Amino acid sequence: MGGMVRSETVARPSEARERLLATATRIFYGEGIHSVGVDRIIAEAKVTRATFYRHFPGKEDLVVAYLQAADQAIRDHVEVALAAGLPAPDALRAIAESIARDVQSAGFRGCAFLNAVAEYPDPDNPVHQAVLAHRQWFLETINALLADIQESDAEPAARHFVMLRDGAMAAGCLFDPVLISETFLRGVEGLIRTHAARRPA
């Protein structure tokens, strides 16, 4: 009996943290970061102020955790595409398709990372650094797949892929997301074909 009580108290803080993170994710992504105060997150997550500060010493810690969770979700999607053992062109198509699905999902409001970095322009800020770390990982992942197809000029092609992705994420909440997705996927297809046809001089 005593053991049950103990395991319950151990489980509770992490549950509160998950609830804070889920609430922050919904509000930060939906409405922006600076405009939302800690009080509102505490109220909507139904936790005490003390509980909030036990998990997150300050708002910025919560913002970084929110971005790290978003980063992990995208890494998981990409891992699924890579774990399928597809040839590199098909793995790139699978990643592009998951981005297109994202753009067309309900409540889509652009890229969480580009949105966050617009609010945290200081390169020394931990939020800004979390965005750069995510983008660096994504670029390296795409670069490795393109290099697998054809070594030469893989990096410029990877930067091109990321730029197509950024454009789709930015335009996806302004215009028809289906058209944006089609344009994005056509762009990626052209990029893959052009890159595959490129032979070292």
Side-chain angles (χ1 to χ4, degrees):
M1 185 67 197
M4 268 176 67
V5 174
R6 193 165 64 246
S7 67
E8 205 178 48
T9 46
V10 169
R12 205 178 284 139
S14 61
E15 189 219 334
R17 186 182 190 279
E18 288 305 304
R19 209 158 63 231
L20 279 163
L21 204 46
T23 304
T25 296
R26 177 172 51 79
I27 302 175
F28 287 159
Y29 183 69
E31 299 177 29
I33 299 170
H34 286 327
S35 62
V36 178
V38 163
D39 289 344
R40 178 165 164 212
I41 289 165
I42 288 169
E44 292 196 25
K46 298 180 172 60
V47 300
T48 64
R49 181 172 292 276
T51 298
F52 175 88
Y53 286 111
R54 189 161 69 242
H55 292 290
F56 303 104
K59 180 180 173 180
E60 204 167 85
D61 301 277
L62 178 61
V63 177
V64 169
Y66 149 64
L67 291 175
Q68 284 168 343
D71 170 71
Q72 194 54 56
I74 294 168
R75 284 177 191 249
D76 292 345
H77 276 300
V78 170
E79 278 311 311
V80 168
L82 298 179
L86 300 166
D90 292 333
L92 285 163
R93 289 182 186 106
I95 291 168
E97 274 153 21
S98 92
I99 291 165
R101 275 196 303 277
D102 215 16
V103 168
Q104 295 178 61
S105 63
F108 177 74
R109 222 184 70 77
C111 169
F113 299 92
L114 292 176
N115 293 351
V117 88
E119 294 197 61
Y120 289 86
D122 176 6
D124 293 330
N125 186 283
V127 175
H128 194 104
Q129 288 173 353
V131 172
L132 293 185
H134 169 74
R135 292 181 64 81
Q136 189 58 35
W137 161 78
F138 187 72
L139 178 65
E140 284 167 8
T141 302
I142 300 300
N143 187 33
L145 287 167
L146 285 161
D148 207 35
I149 298 171
Q150 167 60 45
E151 199 74 51
S152 70
D153 285 336
E155 201 183 322
R159 287 199 301 268
H160 192 170
F161 185 110
V162 173
M163 190 181 282
L164 289 170
R165 177 240 174 240
D166 288 347
M169 295 297 265
C173 49
L174 296 174
F175 307 110
D176 179 348
V178 175
L179 285 178
I180 297 295
S181 296
E182 282 173 11
T183 305
F184 168 65
L185 292 173
R186 194 181 309 123
V188 167
E189 193 55 44
L191 182 67
I192 292 169
R193 286 170 195 267
T194 304
H195 185 66
R198 188 180 279 130
R199 287 285 167 264

Short mmCIF file of all heavy atoms in Angstrom, two decimals, residues 61-129:
data_model
loop_
_atom_site.label_atom_id
_atom_site.label_comp_id
_atom_site.label_asym_id
_atom_site.label_seq_id
_atom_site.Cartn_x
_atom_site.Cartn_y
_atom_site.Cartn_z
N ASP A 61 13.04 28.69 -20.25
CA ASP A 61 13.30 27.25 -20.13
C ASP A 61 12.14 26.46 -20.73
O ASP A 61 12.34 25.41 -21.36
CB ASP A 61 13.48 26.87 -18.66
CG ASP A 61 14.64 27.63 -18.02
OD1 ASP A 61 15.79 27.19 -18.19
OD2 ASP A 61 14.39 28.68 -17.39
N LEU A 62 10.93 26.97 -20.52
CA LEU A 62 9.74 26.32 -21.08
C LEU A 62 9.74 26.44 -22.61
O LEU A 62 9.42 25.49 -23.31
CB LEU A 62 8.48 26.97 -20.50
CG LEU A 62 7.13 26.43 -21.02
CD1 LEU A 62 6.98 24.95 -20.70
CD2 LEU A 62 5.98 27.22 -20.41
N VAL A 63 10.14 27.60 -23.11
CA VAL A 63 10.19 27.82 -24.56
C VAL A 63 11.19 26.86 -25.21
O VAL A 63 10.91 26.23 -26.23
CB VAL A 63 10.54 29.28 -24.92
CG1 VAL A 63 10.64 29.46 -26.43
CG2 VAL A 63 9.50 30.24 -24.34
N VAL A 64 12.36 26.71 -24.58
CA VAL A 64 13.39 25.80 -25.10
C VAL A 64 12.87 24.36 -25.06
O VAL A 64 13.04 23.60 -26.03
CB VAL A 64 14.72 25.95 -24.32
CG1 VAL A 64 15.69 24.83 -24.68
CG2 VAL A 64 15.34 27.31 -24.60
N ALA A 65 12.18 23.98 -23.98
CA ALA A 65 11.62 22.62 -23.88
C ALA A 65 10.56 22.38 -24.96
O ALA A 65 10.49 21.29 -25.54
CB ALA A 65 11.02 22.40 -22.48
N TYR A 66 9.77 23.41 -25.23
CA TYR A 66 8.75 23.33 -26.29
C TYR A 66 9.41 23.07 -27.65
O TYR A 66 8.97 22.20 -28.41
CB TYR A 66 7.93 24.63 -26.28
CG TYR A 66 7.38 25.12 -27.60
CD1 TYR A 66 6.44 24.39 -28.32
CD2 TYR A 66 7.78 26.35 -28.12
CE1 TYR A 66 5.92 24.86 -29.52
CE2 TYR A 66 7.27 26.83 -29.32
CZ TYR A 66 6.34 26.07 -30.03
OH TYR A 66 5.84 26.55 -31.21
N LEU A 67 10.49 23.79 -27.93
CA LEU A 67 11.19 23.59 -29.21
C LEU A 67 11.90 22.24 -29.27
O LEU A 67 11.95 21.61 -30.32
CB LEU A 67 12.18 24.73 -29.45
CG LEU A 67 11.54 26.09 -29.74
CD1 LEU A 67 12.61 27.17 -29.85
CD2 LEU A 67 10.69 26.05 -31.01
N GLN A 68 12.43 21.80 -28.13
CA GLN A 68 13.09 20.49 -28.10
C GLN A 68 12.08 19.36 -28.35
O GLN A 68 12.39 18.39 -29.04
CB GLN A 68 13.82 20.27 -26.77
CG GLN A 68 15.12 21.07 -26.72
CD GLN A 68 15.75 21.13 -25.33
OE1 GLN A 68 15.09 20.86 -24.32
NE2 GLN A 68 17.01 21.52 -25.27
N ALA A 69 10.86 19.53 -27.84
CA ALA A 69 9.81 18.54 -28.08
C ALA A 69 9.40 18.55 -29.56
O ALA A 69 9.20 17.49 -30.16
CB ALA A 69 8.60 18.82 -27.19
N ALA A 70 9.32 19.75 -30.15
CA ALA A 70 8.99 19.86 -31.58
C ALA A 70 10.11 19.23 -32.42
O ALA A 70 9.85 18.51 -33.39
CB ALA A 70 8.80 21.33 -31.96
N ASP A 71 11.35 19.48 -32.02
CA ASP A 71 12.52 18.90 -32.69
C ASP A 71 12.45 17.38 -32.65
O ASP A 71 12.65 16.70 -33.66
CB ASP A 71 13.79 19.41 -32.00
CG ASP A 71 15.06 18.70 -32.46
OD1 ASP A 71 15.48 18.90 -33.60
OD2 ASP A 71 15.62 17.92 -31.66
N GLN A 72 12.13 16.83 -31.48
CA GLN A 72 12.07 15.38 -31.31
C GLN A 72 10.99 14.77 -32.18
O GLN A 72 11.19 13.71 -32.79
CB GLN A 72 11.85 15.02 -29.83
CG GLN A 72 12.12 13.56 -29.52
CD GLN A 72 13.52 13.10 -29.96
OE1 GLN A 72 14.53 13.68 -29.59
NE2 GLN A 72 13.58 12.07 -30.80
N ALA A 73 9.84 15.44 -32.27
CA ALA A 73 8.73 14.93 -33.09
C ALA A 73 9.15 14.83 -34.56
O ALA A 73 8.85 13.84 -35.24
CB ALA A 73 7.51 15.83 -32.93
N ILE A 74 9.87 15.84 -35.03
CA ILE A 74 10.32 15.85 -36.43
C ILE A 74 11.41 14.79 -36.65
O ILE A 74 11.41 14.08 -37.65
CB ILE A 74 10.79 17.26 -36.86
CG1 ILE A 74 9.57 18.20 -36.85
CG2 ILE A 74 11.44 17.23 -38.24
CD1 ILE A 74 9.91 19.66 -36.95
N ARG A 75 12.31 14.67 -35.68
CA ARG A 75 13.35 13.62 -35.77
C ARG A 75 12.70 12.24 -35.85
O ARG A 75 13.16 11.37 -36.59
CB ARG A 75 14.30 13.69 -34.58
CG ARG A 75 15.29 14.85 -34.67
CD ARG A 75 16.17 14.92 -33.43
NE ARG A 75 16.93 16.15 -33.37
CZ ARG A 75 18.26 16.23 -33.52
NH1 ARG A 75 18.98 15.15 -33.73
NH2 ARG A 75 18.86 17.40 -33.45
N ASP A 76 11.63 12.04 -35.07
CA ASP A 76 10.93 10.75 -35.07
C ASP A 76 10.34 10.46 -36.46
O ASP A 76 10.45 9.35 -36.97
CB ASP A 76 9.83 10.72 -34.01
CG ASP A 76 10.40 10.73 -32.58
OD1 ASP A 76 11.62 10.47 -32.42
OD2 ASP A 76 9.63 10.99 -31.63
N HIS A 77 9.72 11.48 -37.08
CA HIS A 77 9.18 11.33 -38.43
C HIS A 77 10.27 10.93 -39.41
O HIS A 77 10.10 10.03 -40.23
CB HIS A 77 8.57 12.66 -38.92
CG HIS A 77 7.17 12.89 -38.46
ND1 HIS A 77 6.14 12.05 -38.78
CD2 HIS A 77 6.64 13.88 -37.71
CE1 HIS A 77 5.03 12.51 -38.24
NE2 HIS A 77 5.30 13.61 -37.57
N VAL A 78 11.40 11.63 -39.32
CA VAL A 78 12.51 11.38 -40.24
C VAL A 78 13.10 9.99 -39.98
O VAL A 78 13.41 9.26 -40.93
CB VAL A 78 13.58 12.49 -40.13
CG1 VAL A 78 14.84 12.12 -40.89
CG2 VAL A 78 13.01 13.82 -40.66
N GLU A 79 13.21 9.60 -38.70
CA GLU A 79 13.72 8.27 -38.35
C GLU A 79 12.88 7.18 -39.01
O GLU A 79 13.41 6.20 -39.51
CB GLU A 79 13.72 8.06 -36.83
CG GLU A 79 14.92 8.65 -36.12
CD GLU A 79 16.25 8.26 -36.76
OE1 GLU A 79 16.48 7.07 -37.03
OE2 GLU A 79 17.06 9.17 -37.03
N VAL A 80 11.55 7.37 -38.99
CA VAL A 80 10.63 6.40 -39.60
C VAL A 80 10.96 6.27 -41.09
O VAL A 80 11.07 5.16 -41.63
CB VAL A 80 9.15 6.81 -39.39
CG1 VAL A 80 8.22 5.99 -40.26
CG2 VAL A 80 8.77 6.66 -37.92
N ALA A 81 11.15 7.42 -41.75
CA ALA A 81 11.47 7.42 -43.19
C ALA A 81 12.81 6.73 -43.44
O ALA A 81 12.94 5.94 -44.38
CB ALA A 81 11.50 8.85 -43.72
N LEU A 82 13.79 6.97 -42.57
CA LEU A 82 15.12 6.38 -42.76
C LEU A 82 15.14 4.90 -42.40
O LEU A 82 15.82 4.10 -43.04
CB LEU A 82 16.17 7.14 -41.94
CG LEU A 82 16.38 8.63 -42.30
CD1 LEU A 82 17.43 9.25 -41.39
CD2 LEU A 82 16.77 8.82 -43.75
N ALA A 83 14.36 4.53 -41.36
CA ALA A 83 14.36 3.15 -40.88
C ALA A 83 13.70 2.20 -41.90
O ALA A 83 13.92 1.00 -41.87
CB ALA A 83 13.64 3.05 -39.54
N ALA A 84 12.89 2.76 -42.80
CA ALA A 84 12.23 1.93 -43.80
C ALA A 84 13.22 1.36 -44.81
O ALA A 84 12.88 0.49 -45.61
CB ALA A 84 11.15 2.75 -44.52
N GLY A 85 14.48 1.86 -44.76
CA GLY A 85 15.53 1.33 -45.63
C GLY A 85 15.30 1.62 -47.10
O GLY A 85 15.71 0.86 -47.97
N LEU A 86 14.63 2.73 -47.38
CA LEU A 86 14.36 3.12 -48.77
C LEU A 86 15.64 3.62 -49.45
O LEU A 86 16.53 4.12 -48.77
CB LEU A 86 13.32 4.24 -48.80
CG LEU A 86 11.95 3.95 -48.21
CD1 LEU A 86 11.19 5.26 -48.00
CD2 LEU A 86 11.17 3.02 -49.11
N PRO A 87 15.70 3.54 -50.78
CA PRO A 87 16.79 4.22 -51.48
C PRO A 87 16.71 5.71 -51.18
O PRO A 87 15.61 6.23 -50.92
CB PRO A 87 16.50 3.96 -52.97
CG PRO A 87 15.45 2.90 -53.01
CD PRO A 87 14.76 2.87 -51.69
N ALA A 88 17.85 6.40 -51.20
CA ALA A 88 17.92 7.81 -50.81
C ALA A 88 16.86 8.70 -51.49
O ALA A 88 16.21 9.50 -50.82
CB ALA A 88 19.31 8.36 -51.03
N PRO A 89 16.62 8.55 -52.81
CA PRO A 89 15.60 9.43 -53.42
C PRO A 89 14.22 9.23 -52.79
O PRO A 89 13.48 10.20 -52.59
CB PRO A 89 15.60 9.00 -54.90
CG PRO A 89 16.92 8.36 -55.12
CD PRO A 89 17.29 7.71 -53.82
N ASP A 90 13.89 7.97 -52.48
CA ASP A 90 12.57 7.69 -51.89
C ASP A 90 12.50 8.16 -50.43
O ASP A 90 11.44 8.58 -49.96
CB ASP A 90 12.24 6.20 -51.99
CG ASP A 90 12.02 5.77 -53.44
OD1 ASP A 90 11.62 6.64 -54.25
OD2 ASP A 90 12.27 4.60 -53.77
N ALA A 91 13.63 8.09 -49.72
CA ALA A 91 13.66 8.60 -48.34
C ALA A 91 13.43 10.11 -48.36
O ALA A 91 12.68 10.64 -47.53
CB ALA A 91 14.99 8.26 -47.69
N LEU A 92 14.05 10.81 -49.31
CA LEU A 92 13.85 12.26 -49.46
C LEU A 92 12.39 12.57 -49.79
O LEU A 92 11.80 13.50 -49.24
CB LEU A 92 14.76 12.83 -50.54
CG LEU A 92 16.23 12.97 -50.16
CD1 LEU A 92 17.10 13.13 -51.40
CD2 LEU A 92 16.45 14.14 -49.20
N ARG A 93 11.79 11.76 -50.67
CA ARG A 93 10.37 11.95 -51.02
C ARG A 93 9.49 11.72 -49.78
O ARG A 93 8.52 12.46 -49.58
CB ARG A 93 9.96 10.99 -52.15
CG ARG A 93 10.55 11.36 -53.49
CD ARG A 93 10.07 10.41 -54.60
NE ARG A 93 10.77 10.72 -55.84
CZ ARG A 93 11.74 9.97 -56.36
NH1 ARG A 93 12.14 8.86 -55.75
NH2 ARG A 93 12.33 10.34 -57.49
N ALA A 94 9.82 10.72 -48.98
CA ALA A 94 9.03 10.42 -47.78
C ALA A 94 9.11 11.58 -46.78
O ALA A 94 8.10 11.97 -46.18
CB ALA A 94 9.52 9.12 -47.13
N ILE A 95 10.29 12.16 -46.63
CA ILE A 95 10.45 13.32 -45.74
C ILE A 95 9.65 14.50 -46.28
O ILE A 95 8.94 15.19 -45.53
CB ILE A 95 11.95 13.68 -45.57
CG1 ILE A 95 12.67 12.58 -44.77
CG2 ILE A 95 12.11 15.04 -44.89
CD1 ILE A 95 14.19 12.68 -44.78
N ALA A 96 9.72 14.72 -47.60
CA ALA A 96 8.97 15.81 -48.22
C ALA A 96 7.47 15.60 -48.04
O ALA A 96 6.73 16.55 -47.77
CB ALA A 96 9.33 15.92 -49.70
N GLU A 97 7.03 14.37 -48.17
CA GLU A 97 5.59 14.09 -48.01
C GLU A 97 5.13 14.32 -46.58
O GLU A 97 4.00 14.79 -46.36
CB GLU A 97 5.28 12.66 -48.47
CG GLU A 97 5.02 12.60 -49.97
CD GLU A 97 5.34 11.24 -50.59
OE1 GLU A 97 5.36 10.23 -49.85
OE2 GLU A 97 5.56 11.21 -51.82
N SER A 98 5.99 14.03 -45.60
CA SER A 98 5.59 14.30 -44.22
C SER A 98 5.50 15.81 -43.97
O SER A 98 4.64 16.26 -43.22
CB SER A 98 6.47 13.56 -43.21
OG SER A 98 7.55 14.35 -42.81
N ILE A 99 6.35 16.59 -44.63
CA ILE A 99 6.27 18.06 -44.54
C ILE A 99 4.97 18.55 -45.19
O ILE A 99 4.26 19.40 -44.64
CB ILE A 99 7.51 18.72 -45.20
CG1 ILE A 99 8.77 18.43 -44.37
CG2 ILE A 99 7.31 20.23 -45.38
CD1 ILE A 99 10.09 18.71 -45.07
N ALA A 100 4.64 17.97 -46.34
CA ALA A 100 3.40 18.35 -47.04
C ALA A 100 2.17 18.02 -46.19
O ALA A 100 1.22 18.81 -46.13
CB ALA A 100 3.32 17.64 -48.40
N ARG A 101 2.20 16.88 -45.50
CA ARG A 101 1.08 16.51 -44.60
C ARG A 101 0.95 17.53 -43.48
O ARG A 101 -0.16 17.91 -43.09
CB ARG A 101 1.29 15.11 -44.02
CG ARG A 101 0.80 13.99 -44.91
CD ARG A 101 0.66 12.67 -44.15
NE ARG A 101 1.90 12.24 -43.52
CZ ARG A 101 2.88 11.58 -44.16
NH1 ARG A 101 2.78 11.31 -45.45
NH2 ARG A 101 3.98 11.22 -43.52
N ASP A 102 2.09 17.94 -42.96
CA ASP A 102 2.15 18.94 -41.91
C ASP A 102 1.47 20.25 -42.36
O ASP A 102 0.63 20.80 -41.65
CB ASP A 102 3.63 19.23 -41.61
CG ASP A 102 3.87 19.52 -40.14
OD1 ASP A 102 2.98 19.20 -39.33
OD2 ASP A 102 4.95 20.05 -39.83
N VAL A 103 1.85 20.71 -43.54
CA VAL A 103 1.32 21.96 -44.10
C VAL A 103 -0.21 21.88 -44.24
O VAL A 103 -0.91 22.87 -44.04
CB VAL A 103 1.99 22.27 -45.47
CG1 VAL A 103 1.27 23.38 -46.21
CG2 VAL A 103 3.46 22.64 -45.27
N GLN A 104 -0.71 20.69 -44.55
CA GLN A 104 -2.15 20.52 -44.77
C GLN A 104 -2.91 20.14 -43.50
O GLN A 104 -4.13 19.96 -43.54
CB GLN A 104 -2.39 19.46 -45.85
CG GLN A 104 -1.87 19.89 -47.22
CD GLN A 104 -2.07 18.82 -48.26
OE1 GLN A 104 -3.18 18.42 -48.55
NE2 GLN A 104 -0.97 18.36 -48.84
N SER A 105 -2.21 20.02 -42.36
CA SER A 105 -2.88 19.58 -41.14
C SER A 105 -3.72 20.71 -40.53
O SER A 105 -3.45 21.90 -40.76
CB SER A 105 -1.85 19.08 -40.12
OG SER A 105 -0.99 20.12 -39.75
N ALA A 106 -4.74 20.32 -39.78
CA ALA A 106 -5.62 21.31 -39.13
C ALA A 106 -4.81 22.13 -38.13
O ALA A 106 -3.95 21.59 -37.42
CB ALA A 106 -6.76 20.59 -38.43
N GLY A 107 -5.05 23.42 -38.08
CA GLY A 107 -4.36 24.27 -37.11
C GLY A 107 -2.93 24.60 -37.49
O GLY A 107 -2.18 25.12 -36.67
N PHE A 108 -2.55 24.31 -38.72
CA PHE A 108 -1.17 24.61 -39.15
C PHE A 108 -0.94 26.12 -39.13
O PHE A 108 -1.74 26.89 -39.64
CB PHE A 108 -0.92 24.07 -40.57
CG PHE A 108 0.44 24.41 -41.10
CD1 PHE A 108 1.56 23.75 -40.62
CD2 PHE A 108 0.61 25.40 -42.05
CE1 PHE A 108 2.84 24.08 -41.09
CE2 PHE A 108 1.88 25.73 -42.53
CZ PHE A 108 2.99 25.06 -42.04
N ARG A 109 0.17 26.52 -38.49
CA ARG A 109 0.46 27.94 -38.37
C ARG A 109 1.93 28.21 -38.67
O ARG A 109 2.60 28.97 -37.98
CB ARG A 109 0.10 28.41 -36.96
CG ARG A 109 -0.61 29.77 -36.93
CD ARG A 109 -0.84 30.24 -35.52
NE ARG A 109 0.38 30.61 -34.84
CZ ARG A 109 1.04 31.75 -35.04
NH1 ARG A 109 0.64 32.61 -35.93
NH2 ARG A 109 2.14 32.01 -34.35
N GLY A 110 2.43 27.54 -39.70
CA GLY A 110 3.82 27.76 -40.08
C GLY A 110 4.79 26.89 -39.30
O GLY A 110 4.40 25.98 -38.58
N CYS A 111 6.06 27.20 -39.46
CA CYS A 111 7.13 26.45 -38.81
C CYS A 111 7.34 26.96 -37.39
O CYS A 111 7.61 28.15 -37.20
CB CYS A 111 8.41 26.60 -39.64
SG CYS A 111 9.87 25.98 -38.80
N ALA A 112 7.24 26.07 -36.42
CA ALA A 112 7.43 26.45 -35.01
C ALA A 112 8.79 27.11 -34.79
O ALA A 112 8.91 28.05 -33.99
CB ALA A 112 7.31 25.21 -34.11
N PHE A 113 9.80 26.65 -35.54
CA PHE A 113 11.17 27.15 -35.35
C PHE A 113 11.36 28.53 -35.97
O PHE A 113 11.94 29.42 -35.35
CB PHE A 113 12.17 26.14 -35.91
CG PHE A 113 12.09 24.81 -35.22
CD1 PHE A 113 11.26 23.80 -35.71
CD2 PHE A 113 12.78 24.58 -34.05
CE1 PHE A 113 11.14 22.58 -35.04
CE2 PHE A 113 12.68 23.37 -33.38
CZ PHE A 113 11.86 22.37 -33.87
N LEU A 114 10.86 28.70 -37.19
CA LEU A 114 10.97 30.02 -37.83
C LEU A 114 10.13 31.04 -37.07
O LEU A 114 10.53 32.20 -36.91
CB LEU A 114 10.53 29.95 -39.30
CG LEU A 114 11.44 29.14 -40.22
CD1 LEU A 114 10.85 29.05 -41.62
CD2 LEU A 114 12.84 29.73 -40.28
N ASN A 115 8.97 30.62 -36.57
CA ASN A 115 8.12 31.52 -35.78
C ASN A 115 8.86 31.95 -34.51
O ASN A 115 8.85 33.12 -34.13
CB ASN A 115 6.80 30.85 -35.40
CG ASN A 115 5.90 30.60 -36.61
OD1 ASN A 115 6.18 31.06 -37.71
ND2 ASN A 115 4.83 29.86 -36.40
N ALA A 116 9.51 30.99 -33.84
CA ALA A 116 10.20 31.28 -32.58
C ALA A 116 11.40 32.19 -32.79
O ALA A 116 11.62 33.13 -32.03
CB ALA A 116 10.63 29.98 -31.90
N VAL A 117 12.17 31.93 -33.85
CA VAL A 117 13.39 32.70 -34.05
C VAL A 117 13.06 34.15 -34.42
O VAL A 117 13.82 35.07 -34.13
CB VAL A 117 14.32 32.01 -35.08
CG1 VAL A 117 14.02 32.42 -36.51
CG2 VAL A 117 15.79 32.26 -34.74
N ALA A 118 11.89 34.37 -35.03
CA ALA A 118 11.45 35.74 -35.33
C ALA A 118 11.22 36.52 -34.04
O ALA A 118 11.40 37.74 -34.00
CB ALA A 118 10.18 35.71 -36.17
N GLU A 119 10.86 35.81 -32.96
CA GLU A 119 10.62 36.46 -31.67
C GLU A 119 11.88 36.53 -30.80
O GLU A 119 11.90 37.23 -29.80
CB GLU A 119 9.51 35.72 -30.91
CG GLU A 119 8.14 35.80 -31.56
CD GLU A 119 7.04 35.44 -30.59
OE1 GLU A 119 6.88 36.13 -29.56
OE2 GLU A 119 6.33 34.45 -30.86
N TYR A 120 12.89 35.75 -31.17
CA TYR A 120 14.16 35.74 -30.40
C TYR A 120 15.33 35.97 -31.35
O TYR A 120 16.06 35.04 -31.67
CB TYR A 120 14.31 34.40 -29.66
CG TYR A 120 13.35 34.24 -28.51
CD1 TYR A 120 12.06 33.73 -28.72
CD2 TYR A 120 13.71 34.60 -27.21
CE1 TYR A 120 11.18 33.58 -27.66
CE2 TYR A 120 12.83 34.45 -26.15
CZ TYR A 120 11.56 33.95 -26.39
OH TYR A 120 10.68 33.80 -25.35
N PRO A 121 15.51 37.21 -31.81
CA PRO A 121 16.54 37.48 -32.83
C PRO A 121 17.98 37.41 -32.32
O PRO A 121 18.89 37.26 -33.13
CB PRO A 121 16.20 38.89 -33.32
CG PRO A 121 15.39 39.51 -32.23
CD PRO A 121 14.67 38.40 -31.53
N ASP A 122 18.18 37.47 -31.02
CA ASP A 122 19.54 37.47 -30.47
C ASP A 122 20.19 36.09 -30.63
O ASP A 122 19.73 35.12 -30.04
CB ASP A 122 19.50 37.88 -28.99
CG ASP A 122 20.87 37.81 -28.32
OD1 ASP A 122 21.88 37.57 -29.02
OD2 ASP A 122 20.93 37.99 -27.09
N PRO A 123 21.29 35.99 -31.42
CA PRO A 123 21.92 34.69 -31.66
C PRO A 123 22.44 34.01 -30.39
O PRO A 123 22.64 32.79 -30.38
CB PRO A 123 23.07 34.99 -32.61
CG PRO A 123 23.00 36.44 -32.95
CD PRO A 123 21.96 37.09 -32.11
N ASP A 124 22.68 34.78 -29.33
CA ASP A 124 23.19 34.18 -28.09
C ASP A 124 22.07 33.62 -27.21
O ASP A 124 22.33 32.92 -26.23
CB ASP A 124 23.97 35.22 -27.27
CG ASP A 124 25.26 35.64 -27.98
OD1 ASP A 124 25.82 34.80 -28.71
OD2 ASP A 124 25.67 36.80 -27.81
N ASN A 125 20.83 33.92 -27.56
CA ASN A 125 19.71 33.45 -26.75
C ASN A 125 19.52 31.94 -26.91
O ASN A 125 19.61 31.42 -28.03
CB ASN A 125 18.44 34.19 -27.17
CG ASN A 125 17.27 33.86 -26.27
OD1 ASN A 125 16.68 32.80 -26.39
ND2 ASN A 125 16.97 34.75 -25.36
N PRO A 126 19.27 31.22 -25.80
CA PRO A 126 19.10 29.76 -25.88
C PRO A 126 17.96 29.33 -26.82
O PRO A 126 18.05 28.27 -27.44
CB PRO A 126 18.76 29.36 -24.44
CG PRO A 126 19.26 30.47 -23.58
CD PRO A 126 19.24 31.72 -24.41
N VAL A 127 16.93 30.15 -26.93
CA VAL A 127 15.82 29.82 -27.85
C VAL A 127 16.32 29.87 -29.29
O VAL A 127 16.09 28.96 -30.08
CB VAL A 127 14.62 30.79 -27.65
CG1 VAL A 127 13.54 30.53 -28.68
CG2 VAL A 127 14.07 30.68 -26.22
N HIS A 128 17.05 30.93 -29.61
CA HIS A 128 17.63 31.10 -30.94
C HIS A 128 18.57 29.91 -31.25
O HIS A 128 18.53 29.34 -32.34
CB HIS A 128 18.40 32.42 -30.99
CG HIS A 128 18.78 32.87 -32.37
ND1 HIS A 128 18.12 33.89 -33.02
CD2 HIS A 128 19.75 32.45 -33.22
CE1 HIS A 128 18.68 34.08 -34.22
NE2 HIS A 128 19.67 33.23 -34.35
N GLN A 129 19.37 29.54 -30.26
CA GLN A 129 20.32 28.44 -30.45
C GLN A 129 19.62 27.10 -30.64
O GLN A 129 20.08 26.27 -31.43
CB GLN A 129 21.29 28.39 -29.26
CG GLN A 129 22.27 29.56 -29.31
CD GLN A 129 23.16 29.65 -28.08
OE1 GLN A 129 22.99 28.92 -27.10
NE2 GLN A 129 24.12 30.56 -28.12
#
